[in-house]
Amino acid sequence: MNKILLTRLIEDNQEDRLYFQQKGFETVEIPLIELKKRALGQSFERMVKQSEWIFLTSQHAAKFFFQQINRKEVEMKKFAVIGKKTAQVLLANQIETTFQAPCATKKNLFESWSADHLEATTIFYPRSNLANQTGEAELVDKGHRLFTPILYDNCFPKENQLLLQKNLMAEKMTAVYLASPSLWERFLLVFREVDLREMPTLYCLGETTRQAILKDGYKAKLRKEV
């Protein structure tokens, strides 16, 4: 049976695990990611209080956000989220989603929200240390004020680097599934270290990750093309 490596957090793999198993793959799970919440102080609370909108672009950002804030302090805020999983975190905290992106990407969230909200406002957008600034300048140019503190750190655990090396050398990995450019960069780093000749078939969640892979000179397919 062909083996595919899943590189997201274990708790994020349920849907992908089932999908690839139904496609005939044996799944191997090695997270190339660890998320660590940052300790935030009064400046975090001040930025929230000054904001009319809260933008949350992942379920993890939403979870860390509610760990840092008293729910009563944000009951009157408006929330824009990237997709249904993030909206579910809000629901679990008894908060209603005001706006959900039609397509679950940060780019689509920013663009679709901006098209519907022309009046200048204040936005609290907490993010990871690896988040790019795509779309932020456009919002500012339209008169919106953004607060963008680092809410959590996205790390590559050393023990999982070693585990990935061991698996690549010991097993024939037919394919790899990557859900972000950072996961691709981490996989490529280890792949080059073990000096394998043949790159496994690369599948990715979206076009942004596929373009990052193409930029490094490798081919990639979207998950739906499996």
Side-chain angles (χ1 to χ4, degrees), residues 40-55:
L40 302 173
Q42 293 182 347
S43 61
F44 176 88
E45 296 178 358
R46 284 198 299 269
M47 287 185 284
V48 172
K49 288 180 180 179
Q50 293 179 59
S51 301
E52 181 182 6
W53 282 85
I54 312 293
F55 278 27

PDB file of all heavy atoms in Angstrom, residues 40-55:
ATOM      1  N   LEU A  40       0.727  37.379  26.920  1.00  0.00           N
ATOM      2  CA  LEU A  40       0.418  38.751  26.518  1.00  0.00           C
ATOM      3  C   LEU A  40      -0.122  39.530  27.709  1.00  0.00           C
ATOM      4  O   LEU A  40      -0.801  38.986  28.573  1.00  0.00           O
ATOM      5  CB  LEU A  40      -0.604  38.742  25.378  1.00  0.00           C
ATOM      6  CG  LEU A  40      -0.159  37.968  24.129  1.00  0.00           C
ATOM      7  CD1 LEU A  40      -1.292  37.878  23.136  1.00  0.00           C
ATOM      8  CD2 LEU A  40       1.046  38.637  23.489  1.00  0.00           C
ATOM      9  N   GLY A  41       0.178  40.814  27.723  1.00  0.00           N
ATOM     10  CA  GLY A  41      -0.194  41.631  28.878  1.00  0.00           C
ATOM     11  C   GLY A  41      -1.297  42.627  28.588  1.00  0.00           C
ATOM     12  O   GLY A  41      -2.189  42.382  27.778  1.00  0.00           O
ATOM     13  N   GLN A  42      -1.197  43.774  29.253  1.00  0.00           N
ATOM     14  CA  GLN A  42      -2.255  44.775  29.180  1.00  0.00           C
ATOM     15  C   GLN A  42      -2.389  45.399  27.792  1.00  0.00           C
ATOM     16  O   GLN A  42      -3.469  45.848  27.418  1.00  0.00           O
ATOM     17  CB  GLN A  42      -2.003  45.862  30.221  1.00  0.00           C
ATOM     18  CG  GLN A  42      -2.135  45.370  31.660  1.00  0.00           C
ATOM     19  CD  GLN A  42      -1.922  46.474  32.677  1.00  0.00           C
ATOM     20  OE1 GLN A  42      -1.443  47.551  32.342  1.00  0.00           O
ATOM     21  NE2 GLN A  42      -2.275  46.202  33.929  1.00  0.00           N
ATOM     22  N   SER A  43      -1.299  45.424  27.029  1.00  0.00           N
ATOM     23  CA  SER A  43      -1.370  45.999  25.688  1.00  0.00           C
ATOM     24  C   SER A  43      -2.330  45.201  24.808  1.00  0.00           C
ATOM     25  O   SER A  43      -3.035  45.764  23.964  1.00  0.00           O
ATOM     26  CB  SER A  43       0.010  46.040  25.044  1.00  0.00           C
ATOM     27  OG  SER A  43       0.548  44.732  24.902  1.00  0.00           O
ATOM     28  N   PHE A  44      -2.370  43.898  25.022  1.00  0.00           N
ATOM     29  CA  PHE A  44      -3.297  43.025  24.298  1.00  0.00           C
ATOM     30  C   PHE A  44      -4.741  43.447  24.587  1.00  0.00           C
ATOM     31  O   PHE A  44      -5.545  43.635  23.678  1.00  0.00           O
ATOM     32  CB  PHE A  44      -3.052  41.575  24.724  1.00  0.00           C
ATOM     33  CG  PHE A  44      -4.000  40.555  24.131  1.00  0.00           C
ATOM     34  CD1 PHE A  44      -3.721  39.957  22.909  1.00  0.00           C
ATOM     35  CD2 PHE A  44      -5.163  40.185  24.800  1.00  0.00           C
ATOM     36  CE1 PHE A  44      -4.580  39.015  22.372  1.00  0.00           C
ATOM     37  CE2 PHE A  44      -6.021  39.251  24.273  1.00  0.00           C
ATOM     38  CZ  PHE A  44      -5.727  38.664  23.050  1.00  0.00           C
ATOM     39  N   GLU A  45      -5.050  43.616  25.851  1.00  0.00           N
ATOM     40  CA  GLU A  45      -6.402  43.997  26.248  1.00  0.00           C
ATOM     41  C   GLU A  45      -6.764  45.385  25.728  1.00  0.00           C
ATOM     42  O   GLU A  45      -7.907  45.616  25.308  1.00  0.00           O
ATOM     43  CB  GLU A  45      -6.532  43.937  27.771  1.00  0.00           C
ATOM     44  CG  GLU A  45      -6.368  42.531  28.341  1.00  0.00           C
ATOM     45  CD  GLU A  45      -6.459  42.512  29.853  1.00  0.00           C
ATOM     46  OE1 GLU A  45      -6.619  43.609  30.450  1.00  0.00           O
ATOM     47  OE2 GLU A  45      -6.378  41.417  30.429  1.00  0.00           O
ATOM     48  N   ARG A  46      -5.811  46.308  25.734  1.00  0.00           N
ATOM     49  CA  ARG A  46      -6.076  47.659  25.239  1.00  0.00           C
ATOM     50  C   ARG A  46      -6.407  47.648  23.747  1.00  0.00           C
ATOM     51  O   ARG A  46      -7.326  48.339  23.296  1.00  0.00           O
ATOM     52  CB  ARG A  46      -4.871  48.566  25.506  1.00  0.00           C
ATOM     53  CG  ARG A  46      -4.746  49.016  26.938  1.00  0.00           C
ATOM     54  CD  ARG A  46      -3.837  50.234  27.052  1.00  0.00           C
ATOM     55  NE  ARG A  46      -2.482  49.933  26.573  1.00  0.00           N
ATOM     56  CZ  ARG A  46      -1.491  49.485  27.347  1.00  0.00           C
ATOM     57  NH1 ARG A  46      -1.722  49.286  28.639  1.00  0.00           N
ATOM     58  NH2 ARG A  46      -0.304  49.251  26.843  1.00  0.00           N
ATOM     59  N   MET A  47      -5.655  46.857  22.986  1.00  0.00           N
ATOM     60  CA  MET A  47      -5.909  46.775  21.550  1.00  0.00           C
ATOM     61  C   MET A  47      -7.285  46.183  21.263  1.00  0.00           C
ATOM     62  O   MET A  47      -7.994  46.636  20.361  1.00  0.00           O
ATOM     63  CB  MET A  47      -4.811  45.965  20.859  1.00  0.00           C
ATOM     64  CG  MET A  47      -3.483  46.695  20.753  1.00  0.00           C
ATOM     65  SD  MET A  47      -2.235  45.790  19.810  1.00  0.00           S
ATOM     66  CE  MET A  47      -1.746  44.532  20.985  1.00  0.00           C
ATOM     67  N   VAL A  48      -7.664  45.175  22.039  1.00  0.00           N
ATOM     68  CA  VAL A  48      -8.992  44.571  21.869  1.00  0.00           C
ATOM     69  C   VAL A  48     -10.077  45.607  22.161  1.00  0.00           C
ATOM     70  O   VAL A  48     -11.049  45.741  21.406  1.00  0.00           O
ATOM     71  CB  VAL A  48      -9.155  43.337  22.782  1.00  0.00           C
ATOM     72  CG1 VAL A  48     -10.602  42.843  22.755  1.00  0.00           C
ATOM     73  CG2 VAL A  48      -8.219  42.209  22.343  1.00  0.00           C
ATOM     74  N   LYS A  49      -9.921  46.347  23.247  1.00  0.00           N
ATOM     75  CA  LYS A  49     -10.922  47.334  23.636  1.00  0.00           C
ATOM     76  C   LYS A  49     -11.083  48.429  22.582  1.00  0.00           C
ATOM     77  O   LYS A  49     -12.188  48.952  22.385  1.00  0.00           O
ATOM     78  CB  LYS A  49     -10.544  47.958  24.981  1.00  0.00           C
ATOM     79  CG  LYS A  49     -10.732  47.013  26.164  1.00  0.00           C
ATOM     80  CD  LYS A  49     -10.332  47.687  27.474  1.00  0.00           C
ATOM     81  CE  LYS A  49     -10.526  46.734  28.648  1.00  0.00           C
ATOM     82  NZ  LYS A  49     -10.107  47.363  29.932  1.00  0.00           N
ATOM     83  N   GLN A  50     -10.004  48.768  21.896  1.00  0.00           N
ATOM     84  CA  GLN A  50     -10.052  49.834  20.898  1.00  0.00           C
ATOM     85  C   GLN A  50     -10.599  49.362  19.550  1.00  0.00           C
ATOM     86  O   GLN A  50     -10.836  50.180  18.667  1.00  0.00           O
ATOM     87  CB  GLN A  50      -8.638  50.404  20.674  1.00  0.00           C
ATOM     88  CG  GLN A  50      -8.079  51.150  21.868  1.00  0.00           C
ATOM     89  CD  GLN A  50      -6.680  51.672  21.589  1.00  0.00           C
ATOM     90  OE1 GLN A  50      -6.450  52.443  20.666  1.00  0.00           O
ATOM     91  NE2 GLN A  50      -5.727  51.230  22.390  1.00  0.00           N
ATOM     92  N   SER A  51     -10.822  48.077  19.405  1.00  0.00           N
ATOM     93  CA  SER A  51     -11.213  47.519  18.109  1.00  0.00           C
ATOM     94  C   SER A  51     -12.703  47.221  18.032  1.00  0.00           C
ATOM     95  O   SER A  51     -13.308  46.732  18.989  1.00  0.00           O
ATOM     96  CB  SER A  51     -10.424  46.235  17.838  1.00  0.00           C
ATOM     97  OG  SER A  51      -9.041  46.483  17.839  1.00  0.00           O
ATOM     98  N   GLU A  52     -13.268  47.518  16.877  1.00  0.00           N
ATOM     99  CA  GLU A  52     -14.660  47.165  16.614  1.00  0.00           C
ATOM    100  C   GLU A  52     -14.778  45.738  16.098  1.00  0.00           C
ATOM    101  O   GLU A  52     -15.726  45.028  16.425  1.00  0.00           O
ATOM    102  CB  GLU A  52     -15.261  48.130  15.583  1.00  0.00           C
ATOM    103  CG  GLU A  52     -16.736  47.831  15.263  1.00  0.00           C
ATOM    104  CD  GLU A  52     -17.316  48.769  14.213  1.00  0.00           C
ATOM    105  OE1 GLU A  52     -16.552  49.582  13.644  1.00  0.00           O
ATOM    106  OE2 GLU A  52     -18.527  48.688  13.959  1.00  0.00           O
ATOM    107  N   TRP A  53     -13.778  45.317  15.302  1.00  0.00           N
ATOM    108  CA  TRP A  53     -13.770  43.993  14.693  1.00  0.00           C
ATOM    109  C   TRP A  53     -12.611  43.147  15.211  1.00  0.00           C
ATOM    110  O   TRP A  53     -11.533  43.664  15.490  1.00  0.00           O
ATOM    111  CB  TRP A  53     -13.639  44.103  13.169  1.00  0.00           C
ATOM    112  CG  TRP A  53     -14.913  44.478  12.475  1.00  0.00           C
ATOM    113  CD1 TRP A  53     -15.409  45.736  12.271  1.00  0.00           C
ATOM    114  CD2 TRP A  53     -15.857  43.577  11.878  1.00  0.00           C
ATOM    115  NE1 TRP A  53     -16.599  45.681  11.594  1.00  0.00           N
ATOM    116  CE2 TRP A  53     -16.901  44.365  11.327  1.00  0.00           C
ATOM    117  CE3 TRP A  53     -15.928  42.196  11.747  1.00  0.00           C
ATOM    118  CZ2 TRP A  53     -17.988  43.807  10.665  1.00  0.00           C
ATOM    119  CZ3 TRP A  53     -17.003  41.632  11.089  1.00  0.00           C
ATOM    120  CH2 TRP A  53     -18.032  42.424  10.563  1.00  0.00           C
ATOM    121  N   ILE A  54     -12.847  41.835  15.293  1.00  0.00           N
ATOM    122  CA  ILE A  54     -11.801  40.857  15.591  1.00  0.00           C
ATOM    123  C   ILE A  54     -11.693  39.934  14.382  1.00  0.00           C
ATOM    124  O   ILE A  54     -12.680  39.307  13.982  1.00  0.00           O
ATOM    125  CB  ILE A  54     -12.131  40.012  16.852  1.00  0.00           C
ATOM    126  CG1 ILE A  54     -12.566  40.896  18.030  1.00  0.00           C
ATOM    127  CG2 ILE A  54     -10.945  39.126  17.204  1.00  0.00           C
ATOM    128  CD1 ILE A  54     -11.490  41.770  18.588  1.00  0.00           C
ATOM    129  N   PHE A  55     -10.520  39.843  13.782  1.00  0.00           N
ATOM    130  CA  PHE A  55     -10.276  38.941  12.658  1.00  0.00           C
ATOM    131  C   PHE A  55      -9.517  37.711  13.169  1.00  0.00           C
ATOM    132  O   PHE A  55      -8.445  37.849  13.770  1.00  0.00           O
ATOM    133  CB  PHE A  55      -9.420  39.626  11.583  1.00  0.00           C
ATOM    134  CG  PHE A  55     -10.191  40.507  10.637  1.00  0.00           C
ATOM    135  CD1 PHE A  55     -11.372  41.113  11.020  1.00  0.00           C
ATOM    136  CD2 PHE A  55      -9.722  40.734   9.351  1.00  0.00           C
ATOM    137  CE1 PHE A  55     -12.077  41.936  10.154  1.00  0.00           C
ATOM    138  CE2 PHE A  55     -10.412  41.555   8.470  1.00  0.00           C
ATOM    139  CZ  PHE A  55     -11.596  42.157   8.866  1.00  0.00           C
TER     140      PHE A  55
END
